[in-house]
Amino acid sequence: MESQSGLGIYISKQTALAVRLRRGQVVARVAVQVGPEEADGLQALVRRLAEACAEQNMLSLDASVALDSSLFMQHSVHSAFSHANQIAQTIRFDTEEVVAADIGTMAVGFDVVRQQESGSLLNVFTAEHAILSDVVLTLQTFGIDPISIVPDVACLARAIPLWATQPSLEVGEHLIGVLSHRNGYFLRSSEGAHVTPVRAFLVGRVKSKTALLSREAFATIAAQRGSAIGSLLVFDSGGGVDTAQLSAHLGIDCVEIDWFEQGGSVASAEEQTSDPVDLAIAYGASLFAGEKFHTLNFRNDFMPHQGKRMRMENAMKWVCVSLTILLLALGGRLQAKWYAKQNDIDQIREKLGKSYSAVMLGKKMPRNPTTTLGGVKRKLVNTTKGLISVGDQSTAARLQLILKAINNSYVKAGLQIDSVAISKQITIKGSARNNQGRLTFRAELQKVGLGTPTSNFPPTKKGRPPFSITLSTAPSGKRPR
């Protein structure tokens, strides 16, 4: 197990302890307590601890909380599955059958004790939502968002392998009994110094710790079915356990250990705590700081840790707000420029409109006057040059074109015009010198831009071929040559 850096917090009903680790060494710690008569005891305790951490500059985003055994319950539960993911999906249903209570108000964590043919034997820990909510929300108020909240006995299991000296945990199966001023803990060491939590129990004010430990150890060893316990390793922070008497009662070797007083990082703290077990639990809690997804973590089941995601969401919110303000400022500036330009355009149009009305005999200027003015200009130019466009649909313009065609072909065709009738169509009646004269006149009408005429050439009378030529009033799109 590698040493880590982070903030470890141990919370009981009336006392709380926090240690700050750096590369596995305790660099700072604080301890606070509240009286039994104080209102909002747990919230007040956590608030006081967070304030003390802030004063000591111990606030950290990498934090983990060890919950005292008086704040959670432990149960032995059987699961039909062996894989952790499958167990996690059904653990609430299995636990509800054991606790016979509404599991909906509890957070659940579990540890696999033993694999069996029919599934797995589990140690299941349950904590009330109200307790976890008080702890998490109060810490978050001071900028501490614990990654995990785990049972205190599990934190001891993390800390012990770092300090274990003699007897060695590498060989054999050992039961480890640890007594603090308030609680007792049993842990189990298997081959390879792998320590797992077994159970916690209340010490209280007993006359004989030896008798208490003997009774609890006997029940614990009996529950370890199918496993041979080689020895019992005992640590008592009060120093009141008689290991010889304990060994005689249990029938196994009982060895007193001093890991929590002599071991590694705990002893290197600035000053000794009144109970080294509490400090060891807080130290063990800090080792969970980097492990969000652990089966013993209550926060996986209630108020899941959001950590980096929340920080990322807050950062994105600020980025979005900043971009929105920037875009609004840019949009406002562009809109101001557009209004200024539009105002100039309106002033120019108003001035031009007056001139347009004066030139166009009082007509109101249209939205796009260039087309109208361009047409008027072309007409003026054509009139000045004596050119008539077929696009001009006035009667005078059409008659001018007909007259032009007559003048151009009068002599050559020997024309004699009898009548020019104008209604929906233009009908010209007359006669020519010969048939070629009739064709010449019709061709000249096309040439001046009056379109393709419809001609009626009756038989020759009195030596002159008559004609009747009808012209459409619709423009042909041709211009005179």
Side-chain angles (χ1 to χ4, degrees):
M1 182 181 300
E2 296 182 0
S3 297
Q4 302 181 9
S5 299
L7 181 64
I9 300 173
Y10 171 45
I11 298 175
S12 64
K13 285 187 175 180
Q14 296 181 357
T15 62
L17 174 68
V19 296
R20 179 68 182 272
L21 264 65
R22 184 177 299 150
R23 297 174 183 173
Q25 299 296 318
V26 177
V27 295
R29 65 189 179 94
V30 293
V32 296
Q33 61 181 5
V34 294
E37 73 286 347
E38 192 165 344
D40 298 330
L42 186 60
Q43 288 186 358
L45 177 67
V46 177
R47 187 183 308 110
R48 192 168 299 174
L49 178 69
E51 291 172 348
C53 288
E55 292 177 359
Q56 297 294 326
N57 196 25
M58 291 173 58
L59 299 180
S60 173
L61 294 174
D62 295 326
S64 183
V65 173
L67 209 60
D68 187 77
S69 56
S70 61
L71 299 176
F72 64 85
M73 297 292 291
Q74 182 176 346
H75 318 274
S76 180
V77 177
H78 179 268
S79 173
F81 301 100
S82 57
H83 195 276
N85 290 338
Q86 295 174 315
I87 295 173
Q89 293 175 4
T90 58
I91 187 64
R92 299 186 68 84
F93 301 102
D94 297 333
T95 304
E96 190 167 29
E97 295 178 0
V98 175
V99 300
D102 182 13
I103 199 69
T105 61
M106 301 177 185
V108 178
F110 67 92
D111 184 50
V112 178
V113 177
R114 187 167 56 249
Q115 300 286 350
Q116 300 173 330
E117 293 183 1
S118 59
S120 303
L121 182 63
L122 311 174
N123 273 336
V124 177
F125 303 89
T126 59
E128 294 288 340
H129 286 174
I131 294 175
L132 300 177
S133 179
D134 288 344
V135 172
V136 173
L137 295 179
T138 305
L139 289 176
Q140 286 179 343
T141 304
F142 291 85
I144 303 174
D145 189 10
I147 296 174
S148 13
I149 300 179
V150 293
D152 53 357
V153 64
C155 297
L156 274 180
R158 282 293 180 94
I160 285 175
L162 297 178
W163 311 325
T165 53
Q166 295 297 328
S168 175
L169 298 180
E170 297 288 341
V171 181
E173 300 278 343
H174 304 280
L175 185 65
I176 304 172
V178 179
L179 298 179
S180 70
H181 292 169
R182 294 181 306 277
N183 303 317
Y185 306 94
F186 281 116
L187 307 99
R188 179 170 179 166
S189 171
S190 57
E191 293 290 343
H194 180 64
V195 179
T196 57
V198 176
R199 58 184 289 251
F201 57 93
L202 182 65
V203 172
R205 296 182 180 181
V206 295
K207 293 182 179 180
S208 173
K209 288 186 178 181
T210 302
L212 172 65
L213 189 59
S214 176
R215 182 174 62 253
E216 297 291 342
F218 184 81
T220 302
I221 293 173
Q224 303 293 305
R225 294 186 295 271
S227 301
I229 302 298
S231 60
L232 174 63
L233 310 181
V234 179
F235 176 82
D236 178 18
S237 59
V241 175
D242 185 343
T243 54
Q245 183 181 353
L246 190 60
S247 179
H249 286 170
L250 297 177
I252 59 174
D253 292 336
C254 295
V255 180
E256 188 174 2
I257 55 176
D258 60 356
W259 300 338
F260 300 99
E261 291 180 345
Q262 303 297 329
S265 301
V266 173
S268 67
E270 294 179 359
E271 52 184 272
Q272 294 299 314
T273 180
S274 57
D275 194 333
V277 176
D278 290 354
L279 188 57
I281 293 173
Y283 184 94
S286 67
L287 302 179
F288 278 91
E291 298 185 15
K292 178 179 177 181
F293 301 104
H294 195 284
T295 59
L296 286 171
N297 186 5
F298 288 124
R299 288 208 70 180
N300 290 342
D301 193 46
F302 178 70
M303 299 181 69
H305 178 266
Q306 299 296 323
K308 295 180 180 178
R309 179 179 177 182
M310 290 184 64
R311 293 195 293 273
M312 179 64 71
E313 288 179 353
N314 289 334
M316 289 301 297
K317 287 179 182 178
W318 282 110
V319 170
C320 291
V321 169
S322 301
L323 287 177
T324 302
I325 294 174
L326 179 62
L327 291 175
L328 287 175
L330 180 61
R333 180 175 177 83
L334 293 176
Q335 192 172 30
K337 287 186 175 182
W338 183 85
Y339 278 129
K341 185 175 181 180
Q342 189 65 31
N343 186 46
D344 294 341
I345 293 174
D346 291 342
Q347 291 179 359
I348 293 173
R349 285 186 62 85
E350 184 180 357
K351 183 177 180 180
L352 181 61
K354 295 178 180 178
S355 301
Y356 183 91
S357 297
V359 171
M360 299 299 290
L361 303 177
K363 291 183 179 180
K364 186 177 180 181
M365 186 177 70
R367 186 67 184 172
N368 186 8
T370 55
T371 302
T372 305
L373 292 175
V376 173
K377 179 182 178 182
R378 285 192 296 272
K379 290 180 181 179
L380 291 175
V381 171
N382 290 336
T383 302
T384 303
K385 294 181 179 180
L387 301 176
I388 302 298
S389 171
V390 76
D392 188 349
Q393 296 298 307
S394 67
T395 302
R398 288 196 296 273
L399 289 176
Q400 286 184 35
L401 292 175
I402 293 171
L403 181 60
K404 183 177 181 181
I406 292 173
N407 290 334
N408 290 343
S409 60
Y410 179 76
V411 177
K412 185 176 180 180
L415 295 178
Q416 179 178 335
I417 304 300
D418 296 331
S419 65
V420 178
I422 301 175
S423 57
K424 293 183 178 180
Q425 296 177 324
I426 302 174
T427 303
I428 306 172
K429 293 183 179 181
S431 61
R433 181 182 299 117
N434 49 37
N435 289 334
Q436 184 61 38
R438 291 187 299 187
L439 296 175
T440 299
F441 180 54
R442 188 177 66 175
E444 190 63 33
L445 289 172
Q446 284 183 279
K447 187 176 180 180
V448 297
L450 288 172
T452 303
T454 301
S455 57
N456 181 19
F457 294 162
T460 303
K461 294 181 179 181
K462 298 180 182 181
R464 290 182 63 83
F467 61 81
S468 176
I469 298 175
T470 302
L471 300 170
S472 174
T473 58
S476 65
K478 295 182 179 180
R479 292 183 179 276
R481 297 179 182 176

